[in-house]
Amino acid sequence: MAASIRRERIGTSAGHPGQGPTPVDSYTLDTGAGLAVEVWTYGAQLVRVLVPDREGRTGNVVVRLPDLAAYEDRAANPYVGSTVGRYCRCVAGGRFRLDGVEHRLDRNDGAHHIHGGPAGFDRYVWEAEAEQRADGVLALRLRLESPDGDQGYPGTLSAEVCYEVSPEGTLAFDHRATTTAATLVGLTNHAYWNLAGSGRVDGHRLALNSGRAVVFDDELIPLPGPPADITGGPLDHRRLTPLDDRRLDNCFVLDGPEWAARLHDPASGRTMRVVTDQPAVGVYTADGFAGRRRCGICLEAGPLPDAPNRDDYPPVRLDPGETYRHRTVHHFSAR
């Protein structure tokens, strides 16, 4: 089959407070070689990733919701497939300081700010433009302008994420951003992966290129001190390890850029290898997903949690004249 790009109007979003009612489109990037990806402009979110198993049968390997209304329902949608920002991790107390000035963010996790706030990037409808490149890559570029003061963040931020799908079986998220004033940026994709296509992920096996994990308090705010050495302990996943029914909700510091994670489903034979230029990957087994517990596993490449308030973590500041960049690539295969 020949590669194709399809666009379809799926409805109208009630809208981000800064947008109002806005039409929402679906884009399907189909390589014609087995891998096909569907993305919606609402939340710049990943809705389907069709991947063949060892028998050549294609199945969707990301969790999806039934319709646009479900994606707009915060109680039913724990950021399923969304592009998350302006800052994709927690900010303790919903506040941080830049150049001696304290900034207060909108709180949406008790006393704290998380995943960009109650009306973050996952609630916007993004502008989209698709193309088929000369090298065969299908690309969907989504753009968003977040005004100064949005959710409490300083500076007008021009953000974009480009989904790139190759006939070789890769899906890349390429994030970029610029700002008019010093601000914080840390974008990620919040897909829940299930390589079996349905059911629980207990039968999956996970490997992480990490020997250290963040130590959290009871509210999932990092405790003082460096990430903990997890060598030989229950969080050590440097070799493929069965998930079974173990709960994972941690942030792992990556040992290097060669690879971040590998996920394998023995039943279907599907494997996903993740490579990123980010310092950490958040891992969550969807144990709190109401009605669909453990239906998928999040592998969120990005900065460390509460980095805006931690001098010992890699910085997340963006200044005018600079360009924020984050690239994560998912390689799919079956054996």
Side-chain angles (χ1 to χ4, degrees):
M1 290 178 57
S4 64
I5 298 174
R6 300 189 301 275
R7 176 184 176 184
E8 179 184 359
R9 179 64 48 82
I10 60 169
T12 300
S13 167
H16 187 279
Q19 284 185 320
T22 309
V24 177
D25 290 334
S26 163
Y27 286 83
T28 299
L29 313 178
D30 189 342
T31 64
L35 176 62
V37 171
E38 182 181 355
V39 177
W40 288 2
T41 54
Y42 179 76
Q45 64 200 345
L46 189 63
V47 174
R48 286 194 306 164
V49 178
L50 300 176
V51 178
D53 65 9
R54 67 163 65 90
E55 305 297 334
R57 296 169 299 199
T58 299
N60 179 29
V61 298
V62 291
V63 175
R64 69 168 298 172
L65 301 179
D67 52 30
L68 178 59
Y71 279 97
E72 292 190 289
D73 181 358
R74 172 58 68 226
N77 177 16
Y79 304 94
V80 174
S82 299
T83 296
V84 181
R86 208 178 277 199
Y87 188 70
C88 66
R89 309 281 196 219
C90 64
V91 180
R95 61 181 65 189
F96 66 94
R97 299 183 73 87
L98 277 179
D99 300 326
V101 177
E102 182 177 89
H103 298 273
R104 297 192 177 190
L105 303 177
D106 293 354
R107 298 173 179 179
N108 59 328
D109 185 28
H112 312 298
H113 174 96
I114 191 169
H115 290 339
F121 286 5
D122 62 298
R123 311 295 275 179
Y124 276 99
V125 177
W126 296 53
E127 296 181 356
E129 181 181 6
E131 65 172 338
Q132 182 172 354
R133 298 175 181 167
D135 59 1
V137 170
L138 306 177
L140 177 66
R141 190 175 305 277
L142 299 111
R143 296 184 175 92
L144 172 68
E145 185 167 290
S146 170
D148 180 37
D150 189 6
Q151 304 298 289
Y153 289 96
T156 297
L157 191 81
S158 297
E160 70 174 45
V161 56
C162 186
Y163 288 87
E164 299 172 355
V165 185
S166 81
E168 291 75 35
T170 65
L171 166 62
F173 309 134
D174 195 271
H175 303 85
R176 301 194 179 200
T178 58
T179 183
T180 61
T183 192
L184 308 179
V185 184
L187 306 179
T188 195
N189 181 276
H190 204 282
Y192 290 79
W193 300 95
N194 186 327
L195 300 185
S198 63
R200 292 164 60 108
V201 292
D202 297 1
H204 286 48
R205 297 177 180 178
L206 174 69
L208 300 168
N209 185 22
S210 174
R212 294 177 296 155
V214 174
V215 181
F216 292 103
D217 65 15
D218 292 341
E219 296 182 323
L220 292 179
I221 301 299
L223 292 170
D229 184 344
I230 57 175
T231 301
L235 294 180
D236 189 343
H237 286 74
R238 280 174 285 192
R239 295 182 178 180
L240 278 173
T241 303
L243 288 176
D244 296 328
D245 61 352
R246 292 178 301 112
R247 175 188 176 95
L248 286 175
D249 192 359
N250 298 86
C251 186
F252 294 82
V253 181
L254 296 174
D255 289 343
E258 297 83 9
W259 65 284
R262 288 197 298 270
L263 188 65
H264 176 62
D265 172 45
S268 68
R270 294 187 184 100
T271 294
M272 182 177 73
R273 180 172 176 266
V274 183
V275 179
T276 186
D277 55 15
Q278 295 299 289
V281 60
V283 180
Y284 174 49
T285 46
D287 293 82
F289 199 149
R292 299 174 71 179
R293 181 176 177 268
R294 298 183 68 82
C295 61
I297 180 171
C298 280
L299 299 170
E300 309 161 51
L304 272 70
D306 203 30
N309 294 309
R310 297 289 296 259
D311 293 336
D312 55 335
Y313 286 177
V316 293
R317 173 176 176 147
L318 181 69
D319 285 304
E322 299 176 341
T323 299
Y324 165 86
R325 291 183 172 88
H326 161 189
R327 184 173 178 83
T328 293
V329 183
H330 296 250
H331 302 255
F332 298 99
S333 60
R335 56 180 173 82

